[in-house]
Amino acid sequence: MIAFITASTKRPVQFANLETYVKEFNIVPDSWYVCGSGHKDYNFTMNQKVLHNETGDDLLSNYSTLFDNVKEDYIFILEDDDVYLPTYCDKLYNSLESNLLVGYYPQHNWYLNNSYKILTNQTFAALSCTAFHKSLIPIFQLIVGGGRIWLDDVIWQYCIGQKIPIELFPQYSKVQQVGIKGGGGATQS
């Protein structure tokens, strides 16, 4: 079974855009969990399981709530400020049959001030480009509980150090995801 998870706070337009991309995916999730606060102006159209986080709008508490609730075997992290191609999940899903953590690198970002940047990450995928098996949820929870803001590099380095099966896919010629930065929303405190 497949789940998508999204931490989304006070970004109804970005979330509506994400729904547009997900509707075009080749792979359909069994569940889609969304956690955050400030959902008053959201129009959830894909039968999402909406989890309200009344403790605030910070990313870590939203992810903690998501990890507490997701039960499906394969989990894809989708961010509401990203653009995804219809084929985004295909390679990741196929790789999850033999790996516990999979993702695309390097991260590509479009900034609303009209600039584009390809980040230098070569040994890990950004969280928004990551999928994993549910057996890794305790590790994600441990990292979130430690208050570390950037989960992506820590989870990948932990799995590499523990020799947990992983696979990274380069996205140079066929970019599967682009982060859109500068649109506001949840804080990272």
Side-chain angles (χ1 to χ4, degrees):
M1 295 183 64
I2 299 170
F4 293 165
I5 63 172
T6 304
S8 183
T9 294
K10 301 175 186 166
R11 296 200 287 209
V13 172
Q14 292 91 332
F15 191 83
N17 290 338
L18 177 59
E19 280 190 334
T20 302
Y21 311 132
V22 170
K23 286 176 184 173
E24 300 296 320
F25 279 3
N26 295 332
I27 291 178
V28 178
D30 297 288
S31 300
W32 185 359
Y33 300 84
V34 179
C35 183
S37 62
H39 291 153
K40 176 178 67 94
D41 295 325
Y42 283 61
N43 183 21
F44 297 103
T45 66
M46 297 181 67
N47 201 30
Q48 290 94 343
K49 296 178 181 182
V50 180
L51 309 168
H52 297 284
N53 184 354
E54 301 308 326
T55 62
D57 62 0
D58 71 280
L59 204 52
L60 291 179
S61 64
N62 288 337
Y63 275 121
S64 181
T65 300
L66 286 163
F67 297 142
D68 283 345
N69 283 276
V70 68
K71 305 294 183 234
E72 288 74 11
D73 297 320
Y74 303 117
I75 301 150
F76 291 75
I77 300 172
L78 302 179
E79 292 188 2
D80 62 7
D81 61 345
D82 290 19
V83 175
Y84 295 91
L85 289 184
T87 55
Y88 169 77
C89 294
D90 301 359
K91 190 180 284 189
L92 299 179
Y93 178 72
N94 291 333
S95 181
L96 279 170
E97 295 196 11
S98 56
N99 295 286
L100 298 181
L101 182 68
V102 298
Y104 292 106
Y105 77 95
Q107 173 69 22
H108 292 246
N109 287 337
W110 172 260
Y111 296 86
L112 294 180
N113 66 0
N114 276 340
S115 63
Y116 189 86
K117 185 175 183 181
I118 300 173
L119 303 184
T120 59
N121 57 303
Q122 300 292 313
T123 59
F124 67 93
L127 210 55
S128 61
C129 300
T130 296
F132 61 96
H133 186 269
K134 68 180 179 182
S135 63
L136 294 183
I137 289 176
I139 298 167
F140 275 91
Q141 283 287 41
L142 182 67
I143 294 168
V144 167
R148 169 107 169 138
I149 275 304
W150 306 114
L151 308 175
D152 42 20
D153 62 333
V154 176
I155 189 70
W156 282 90
Q157 294 311 311
Y158 177 87
C159 289
I160 290 168
Q162 296 297 313
K163 300 193 181 338
I164 292 172
I166 66 164
E167 188 163 13
L168 278 166
F169 298 102
Q171 58 170 356
Y172 292 108
S173 60
K174 176 100 177 187
V175 176
Q176 294 291 320
Q177 172 273 355
V178 175
I180 308 298
K181 302 303 177 194
T187 61
Q188 295 183 341
S189 59

